[in-house]
Amino acid sequence: MDTSSLAASLAVDYPVLNIFWTMLELFLWVLWFFLLFKIITDIFRSHDLSGWGKAGWLVLVIILPLIGVLAYLIARGEGMGKRDVAQAQQAEAAVQAYIRDAAGTSGATGDGAGRSHVDDLATLADLKDKGLISAEEYQRAKDKLLV
C-alpha cells in the first residue's frame, strides 16, 4: 500500500461528523482546565476564606473535580466576579498611578501639589522675564527640574 492510498483510506475512515465531535471534545477539555485553574486561583486570592477553608476547597476541587468545581461555583460564584472586578480596579489604579508618576504629575489638586514640570518651567521663565531671578539662577533651577 502506498502513501496516497493510505491517506485516502484514513480520510474515509474518519468522517466529517467525527472531526466535529473531536474538536468539540478538545474545546470542552480546554474549557474545563481553564475553569479549574480559574477556581484554584480564586481560592488562593480570596481573603474571606481561612487557611483551612482554602485547603478544604482545594482538596475538594482536586480530589472530586466535577463535584468540587460545581459546588464552588454554586457557593462562591458571585464572589468570584466581585473579586475579579476588585482586582481589575486595583490593577487600573496602579497603572494610572504609574502613568501620573512617569508624567511627573500627581492626582492631587490645590496648593501646587498637582503641578507638572511644564508648569514649573513656565513659572521659572516668567520669573526670569520679570527680572526676579538671574539667568544663572534660572539655568540652575531648570537643570534641577529636568533631572
Side-chain angles (χ1 to χ4, degrees):
M1 207 183 221
D2 63 346
T3 58
S4 62
S5 64
L6 180 63
S9 168
L10 288 176
V12 171
D13 290 341
Y14 206 70
V16 174
L17 189 59
N18 285 354
I19 293 172
F20 170 76
W21 284 115
T22 302
M23 289 173 53
L24 182 65
E25 288 172 357
L26 180 66
F27 173 75
L28 290 176
W29 271 106
V30 169
L31 181 68
W32 170 253
F33 281 113
F34 175 78
L35 184 60
L36 188 65
F37 291 134
K38 179 81 171 155
I39 286 175
I40 289 173
T41 56
D42 188 67
I43 289 171
F44 283 112
R45 77 171 172 194
S46 178
H47 297 293
D48 59 336
L49 280 177
S50 68
W52 287 106
K54 290 178 183 182
W57 276 113
L58 193 61
V59 166
L60 184 64
V61 166
I62 290 175
I63 301 298
L64 299 170
L66 184 62
I67 294 170
V69 165
L70 291 176
Y72 190 85
L73 288 175
I74 291 168
R76 300 181 50 84
E78 185 177 341
M80 279 179 70
K82 290 177 182 176
R83 283 184 290 279
D84 281 342
V85 168
Q87 184 180 14
Q89 288 172 343
Q90 288 174 349
E92 178 67 22
V95 166
Q96 292 298 325
Y98 173 76
I99 290 171
R100 278 193 301 276
D101 184 49
T105 61
S106 65
T109 57
D111 65 28
R115 293 173 53 106
S116 70
H117 293 304
V118 175
D119 296 333
D120 293 336
L121 286 172
T123 302
L124 281 173
D126 188 43
L127 289 174
K128 185 182 105 177
D129 291 341
K130 290 180 180 177
L132 298 174
I133 60 173
S134 67
E136 293 83 22
E137 291 172 328
Y138 170 76
Q139 190 61 40
R140 277 196 310 261
K142 185 174 95 169
D143 291 342
K144 185 178 177 182
L145 276 174
L146 295 177
V147 171

